[in-house]
Structure formats: structure tokens, C-alpha cells
Amino acid sequence: MTTQFYSALILCLVVPTVIGRIFRINKLFPVVFLQLLFGVLLGSTGLLAWLKGFGIDLVQGPLLHSLSGLGWLGLSLLIALAGLESSPVGQGKSAWRFILISIAGFGTTCSVGSWFGFHLAQHFPDVIGTKQDLTAFSLAMGLALSVTALPVLISVLRDTKLIGSMIGNLATNCALLDDLWMWLVLGAILSMVNSSVQIEWVLFSLLVYLGVMFFLIRPLLQFLFEHNRLPEGTDGLLVAISLICLSSIATDFIGLHSIFGAYV
């Protein structure tokens, strides 16, 4: 199992990077694009079935679960570091303009996408699905066109050396906020088709979570680290990683994505 695990890591991470550098493809495309393309090629060329014969099953089983867990941890740390670099706190009022930009961008794109989804359902009613809810389908189409993959965006910004720059911070913060709007609207859609989903609970829990994080946890951490008040023998890095994981668990419990918790 250990051999298969490290072999899968090398296959998924190292091989695409090495190929990109040898053929200088990374000069044209960020590494994350090469990794995504490599994953598509693995599935479309039958290599996944060939690898399964050597005990490397990337589709199901314990190996996939192990890689998935490691991937989520790495993703959470990547998002947390990006949030640390792009945080608008202490950067002046202009740094908070991403809120209005995100609202305008998400609202416009979601509206256009919902309009497209509505007319698509009118002309092709079979695409709606078994629930036959025109409003939910239209909003879902709007959501699909309104957000970006935050981890991919951060990887692209890192590879293009824009992470930490003004445009990089703006893009990161807008993408994170767009994800938040997406999860809230998605909660509203689910509450339309499933009475067990309560959007009111999500909104209330989100406000409580943000209040605790910004008005209790953040000042406490600032005091402990700036005044060196951590208990003797306590590893600050371990404390930070633990808080990232707990924050991710909290937002996942609320009904939002765990990467939102890692970012906060």
C-alpha cells in the first residue's frame, strides 16, 4: 500500500510538472492546467485500468481515500496561505472594494445565466430533471456560470507570480466571496426542492461563525502571538494548522464549503 501511495503521488504531481519543464509547456500554461490535462488523459486513454493491474486504483478504494485526505489537507493549507497574503485587514478602505466588485460581478453573471437557463428549459423541457422546478433549474444554471474554481485560480496566480499583488489579491478575494454567494444561493435552491434544508439555519450559523472568528478568535490569536503568551512548549505552527482544520470543519457543518473556513 505504501509503494502504491507514493507511486500515485509521483504520477499525479511530479510527472506532469517534469513533462511541463522538459518540453517548456509551463512557459505557456500554468502547472495546474498540465495536471488537470494529465488527469483527463489518464481517464480517456485507459491508463487508469492499466494502473489498477499494479494495485494503483485511482478510482475507488483505500488508496483514493488516502490521496483525497492528503489533497484536502494540502488544499486547505494553500487556501489559508493565500488568504493570509490577500487579507484586506489593515490595508485601508480601498482594499475592501472587492466586496462591491464581487456582488456586481456575481449578480450580473448569475442573472444572465439564470435567464439563459430559463429559456433553455422553455425550449428543451427534458433538461430540467425529475423535480420539474423551473426556478431552481434557472438559478442552478446561473450559479454554474458565476463562480470559478478557487484552488485553480490560486495555483494560476502562484505560477504567474501574481499571488500577493494587487490584482492577485483582488481576484482571490472576489473568487472567495463569489463562492460564499454561491453556497448561500445553492442553499436557497435546495430549500425549494427539499424541505429539510433550512437556508435560515445556514445564514444564522454563518453570522455566528463570522462573529466568533473575527471578534473572539482573531483578537485572541493576535494577543497570544504578538505577546508570546502561548503555553511553554506549544508549537505555533501546530496551533495554526489545528485552527485551520477546525474552521474548515465548522463551515462544512454549517453547509458551506470547507475551503471557506480555511480561508477565514
Side-chain angles (χ1 to χ4, degrees):
M1 180 66 179
T2 303
T3 302
Q4 288 86 348
F5 177 79
Y6 287 113
S7 299
L9 279 182
I10 293 173
L11 182 66
C12 296
L13 298 178
V14 179
V15 172
T17 304
V18 172
I19 292 176
R21 292 189 179 277
I22 291 176
F23 295 100
R24 298 187 178 277
I25 304 176
N26 59 316
K27 299 293 183 181
L28 301 175
F29 303 102
V31 175
V32 65
F33 287 170
L34 297 177
Q35 292 170 341
L36 291 173
L37 179 61
F38 189 73
V40 173
L41 291 176
L42 281 178
S44 60
T45 58
L47 285 175
L48 287 178
W50 180 74
L51 289 170
K52 189 175 181 180
F54 294 92
I56 304 176
D57 191 351
L58 299 176
V59 179
Q60 59 184 357
L63 178 60
L64 176 64
H65 296 319
S66 299
L67 291 172
S68 178
L70 181 62
W72 277 115
L73 177 60
L75 178 60
S76 298
L77 295 178
L78 175 66
I79 297 296
L81 290 174
L84 183 64
E85 293 186 8
S86 63
S87 174
V89 177
Q91 297 185 20
K93 293 183 179 179
S94 61
W96 295 90
R97 60 187 173 182
F98 74 91
I99 297 178
L100 293 178
I101 295 174
S102 174
I103 293 174
F106 181 88
T108 302
T109 311
C110 189
S111 299
V112 172
S114 298
W115 176 86
F116 175 78
F118 177 81
H119 287 281
L120 180 66
Q122 293 288 330
H123 290 85
F124 304 96
D126 293 339
V127 302
I128 299 180
T130 57
K131 294 293 183 180
Q132 296 294 322
D133 193 313
L134 179 60
T135 303
F137 175 80
S138 301
L139 287 174
M141 285 294 296
L143 286 182
L145 298 176
S146 302
V147 294
T148 186
L150 183 58
V152 176
L153 172 64
I154 292 175
S155 297
V156 170
L157 293 175
R158 182 193 60 193
D159 291 341
T160 54
K161 302 187 186 308
L162 289 174
I163 196 77
S165 66
M166 184 186 69
I167 188 66
N169 293 343
L170 183 62
T172 302
N173 289 326
C174 284
L176 187 279
L177 210 52
D178 286 349
D179 275 12
L180 175 61
W181 307 140
M182 183 270 292
W183 283 107
L184 293 178
V185 176
L186 183 60
I189 294 175
L190 292 176
S191 66
M192 293 179 188
V193 298
N194 187 352
S195 58
S196 63
V197 178
Q198 300 294 329
I199 186 61
E200 297 85 359
W201 153 255
V202 176
L203 289 173
F204 173 76
S205 301
L206 174 62
L207 291 176
V208 173
Y209 164 77
L210 291 176
V212 171
M213 292 301 291
F214 282 101
F215 298 108
L216 179 61
I217 301 299
R218 184 175 181 273
L220 178 61
L221 288 177
Q222 190 173 12
F223 172 79
L224 291 176
F225 279 97
E226 288 185 356
H227 295 84
N228 197 23
R229 294 298 182 89
L230 288 174
E232 185 177 353
T234 302
D235 190 336
L237 179 61
L238 180 60
V239 172
I241 294 177
S242 300
L243 286 173
I244 291 171
C245 294
L246 290 173
S247 181
S248 299
I249 292 173
T251 52
D252 188 60
F253 176 76
I254 290 172
L256 304 173
H257 203 285
S258 59
I259 63 173
F260 179 74
Y263 185 88
V264 174

